[in-house]
Amino acid sequence: MRTLIIHNPRSGFGSDAVFQFERALVHGGDECVLRMLSEEFDARAACADVADFDMVVVSGGDGTVASLLYALRGTGTPVCVFPSGTANLLAANIGNAPEPSALARACRVGKTDDLDLGEVSWDDERGQRHTRGFALMSGTGFDAQIMQAALPRKAVMGQAAYFAAAIAHPRPAVERFTITVDGVTHEREGITCLVANNAMIQADIELVPGCRMDDGLLDVIMVKTSDAAHLLAPLALGLVDRTGRALGRPHLEAFTGREIRVEVSEPVPFEVDGDVVPGLVRAYEARVLPGAARIVVDAMSPYGSEDDGSSRFGDSDVIAYPR
Ligand SMILES: [Mg+2]
């Protein structure tokens, strides 16, 4: 097997887990290229020779992984998402067993599922057009403000930096949003509008029930409260009802669709998979790229099959992660 591991050494806390993974992955006769990304990497250049490999492993935080998956879209090469970042929300949403040896085993078993990606386009303040891919979610408003405020402390505090930033901004601005989903327009007021390929956030809370990345649809999530205490309500309910099926999600409204346009009454900060883009944004378009990423999944993943051998202990019949 020829494997390409693309690793961002600046992601997360500089863990060496990816090297343990590489050691567990390679057997006699294998070849493995470990490509370390530089600070200002070009995702397309990093993936340019992917046709020479049987498998690609993308290792980094959610921003790194999403840019690499977007560069690899439609190539049909199996990709394993290796969690090396601070939050690793995409890996959590894929749901594979996260240990390096378990992920190495899933790569060797080679079971994959074709999962959706999202693509967003917007004009910056000088009228220049930008397009980027996303794997988790993009958002305008309060969430982008929090991501921006969390940046300086992320290296030290990890995920807690996001919560600290949220507490430091207790009165988010209310904007008017015009949301067009597959040609149908909705007018709403609120603090943020998210377009999501995945709706599971920190602490395994699903913002909206039943969001999947293999249904060819994006979820649009409107946060309608202006009060940080109200914002805590869906999150607190999330802790007792993680899927949202029993108690619902107060102050949140969700739509699903393939082509989405979001316009905001005032220019607002904009984030794509946790990366805040420079400047402010008035409007953006998002569309789904159905089944664009061929992702390695194991029996623990909601996208895997019940028992494909990837989660067995050794050669025994004992399944490590029964559902
Ligand atoms: Mg979906």
Side-chain angles (χ1 to χ4, degrees):
M1 189 163 81
R2 293 204 76 207
T3 310
L4 171 64
I5 301 177
I6 307 176
H7 176 63
N8 186 350
R10 281 165 197 79
S11 294
F13 298 105
S15 148
D16 60 1
V18 74
F19 305 108
Q20 297 170 34
F21 165 83
E22 186 183 20
R23 200 167 59 182
L25 178 73
V26 288
H27 293 186
D30 288 343
E31 278 185 72
C32 186
V33 172
L34 176 59
R35 184 166 295 158
M36 304 293 265
L37 293 173
S38 56
E39 196 162 355
E40 294 292 326
F41 68 91
D42 175 343
R44 278 228 301 239
C47 301
D49 56 350
V50 67
D52 299 340
F53 296 90
D54 303 309
M55 176 157 312
V56 181
V57 179
V58 290
S59 168
D62 289 314
T64 303
V65 165
S67 66
L68 293 169
L69 287 178
Y70 183 61
L72 289 163
R73 68 190 185 280
T75 59
T77 304
V79 183
C80 174
V81 174
F82 191 87
S84 295
T86 309
N88 302 312
L89 287 175
L90 181 61
N93 275 281
I94 293 168
N96 289 339
E99 297 80 12
S101 56
L103 283 169
R105 185 181 289 229
C107 285
R108 295 215 73 97
V109 171
K111 165 122 180 72
T112 60
D113 196 19
D114 290 345
L115 303 182
D116 307 333
L117 295 175
E119 185 182 73
V120 284
S121 305
W122 71 96
D123 292 331
D124 66 19
E125 284 153 306
R126 286 171 304 180
Q128 201 183 334
R129 192 84 174 148
H130 299 268
T131 298
R132 274 179 64 167
F134 68 97
L136 291 167
M137 52 180 78
S138 295
T140 31
F142 187 50
D143 60 308
Q145 220 179 359
I146 289 177
M147 304 275 179
Q148 205 158 28
L151 272 183
R153 286 180 289 186
K154 224 169 94 178
V156 182
M157 293 174 67
Q159 293 205 45
Y162 296 112
F163 294 101
I167 290 164
H169 294 81
R171 304 294 305 179
V174 176
E175 313 290 352
R176 207 168 57 251
F177 291 86
T178 306
I179 308 156
T180 307
V181 182
D182 292 338
V184 181
T185 299
H186 312 267
E187 301 272 352
R188 294 290 185 275
E189 284 193 349
I191 57 168
T192 187
C193 180
L194 304 163
V195 177
N197 189 37
N198 283 288
M200 193 173 84
I201 58 166
Q202 278 86 352
D204 290 354
I205 296 170
E206 287 180 39
L207 274 185
V208 291
C211 176
R212 287 186 64 91
M213 50 178 156
D214 60 355
D215 60 359
L217 296 169
L218 295 173
D219 287 57
V220 186
I221 305 165
M222 184 68 219
V223 182
K224 294 193 287 187
T225 180
S226 63
D227 190 323
H230 286 165
L231 188 62
L232 291 177
L235 298 181
L237 283 181
L239 288 172
V240 293
D241 171 25
R242 290 182 201 272
T243 65
R245 285 187 180 86
L247 301 171
R249 294 283 181 255
H251 311 297
L252 301 187
E253 184 179 5
F255 310 95
T256 55
R258 293 175 178 82
E259 308 250 348
I260 292 122
R261 177 173 167 81
V262 178
E263 285 168 64
V264 198
S265 50
E266 295 293 322
V268 285
F270 180 49
E271 57 96 6
V272 183
D273 277 338
D275 288 343
V276 182
V277 310
L280 300 174
V281 169
R282 283 293 294 246
Y284 69 95
E285 282 100 50
R287 69 182 182 110
V288 69
L289 306 174
R294 183 155 293 170
I295 301 291
V296 171
V297 291
D298 70 11
M300 205 186 168
S301 163
Y303 303 100
S305 55
E306 199 76 357
D307 172 22
D308 52 20
S310 60
S311 53
R312 286 170 188 240
F313 285 119
D315 296 323
S316 79
D317 289 332
V318 179
I319 298 169
Y321 303 101
R323 256 194 258 150

